[in-house]
Amino acid sequence: MRAMLMAVAGYHLWLDWRHAGLHLARQFADYEPGIHWPQVQMQSGTTGINTFRIYNPVKQGHDHDAGGVFIARWVPELANLPVAMRHTPWLFSADDLHRHGVRLGRDYPRPVRSPEDAARQAREKMKGLRSHPGFAMVARDLQARLGSQAAGRSLARRGARGRRRSTQAVDDRQGTLF
C-alpha cells in the first residue's frame, strides 16, 4: 500500500515525496524510519537508481480487492455501490450513482486526474530526466556508494563485516544501550 500511495503522490500528483512520506509516517502504527524512508524515496523515484514504479490505483484495486471489501470498509460513501462500480464510480452516470445514494462531487470527489494519463505523463517526464547527459554516471556512483549490494564489492573485500558475529558480542553491545 505504501508503494502505491507514494507512486500516486509522487508520479500522478507530483507532490513532494518528503511531505507525502511524513504524512504516511504519522499514519502507520508500525512506523520504522529505517524501512519507511528508503521505501518512500524508492517508490517516489528520487533515488535515481531504481526502476520506475508508477502504479495504477484502479488496477491495484481490482488486483488486490476484486470484491471491493476494502473499499466498502474504508470508503464508506461507496459501500452501497455494487462491486462493479466501487473501483471507478466516476465512469457511471449520475442516475446510476444516485440510485445507490452517491452523488459524485458531493458524497465522493471526482478524480483529480485520470490514472492512465497521469502515469503516461510521469513515464515521459521521468524518461526525459533520466536521458539527461551525466545521469547514468551519477546513478552508478550512487549505487556504488550507497546501494545495499554495492556493485563490484566482493565478499573477500568485505572481510570481517561479511562474517556473522557471535551472539555474545551482540548481547554485550545491547547491554551498553541501557
Side-chain angles (χ1 to χ4, degrees), residues 54-150:
I54 303 173
Y55 297 99
N56 180 325
V58 175
K59 180 188 180 307
Q60 293 296 310
H62 285 295
D63 290 353
H64 301 287
D65 185 32
V69 175
F70 183 89
I71 293 172
R73 177 169 182 199
W74 296 103
V75 189
E77 53 269 28
L78 301 181
N80 291 333
L81 291 180
V83 172
M85 297 172 79
R86 287 184 189 165
H87 295 282
T88 54
W90 57 89
L91 296 180
F92 296 90
S93 72
D95 290 339
D96 286 341
L97 292 170
H98 194 265
R99 242 185 309 246
H100 300 286
V102 175
R103 288 167 294 184
L104 196 62
R106 184 170 175 190
D107 300 318
Y108 185 79
R110 296 181 187 283
V112 175
R113 300 194 66 196
S114 155
E116 295 79 16
D117 290 344
R120 182 181 39 74
Q121 291 170 3
R123 276 188 203 90
E124 289 170 7
K125 188 171 185 174
M126 295 304 290
K127 284 179 185 174
L129 291 170
R130 288 188 175 195
S131 67
H132 187 274
F135 175 85
M137 184 177 66
V138 171
R140 277 192 303 274
D141 181 56
L142 282 171
Q143 177 61 40
R145 287 187 301 118
L146 305 173
S148 61
Q149 296 295 317

Side-chain angles (χ1 to χ4, degrees), residues 2 6 16-26 28 31-47 50:
R2 173 184 15 235
M6 287 308 303
D16 186 315
W17 65 272
R18 293 166 292 196
H19 299 299
L22 184 58
H23 176 76
L24 284 180
R26 290 177 175 151
F28 291 156
Y31 169 69
E32 164 52 50
I35 294 169
H36 179 74
W37 289 108
Q39 285 295 310
V40 162
Q41 288 177 303
M42 181 180 66
Q43 298 301 339
S44 59
T46 62
T47 64
N50 298 101

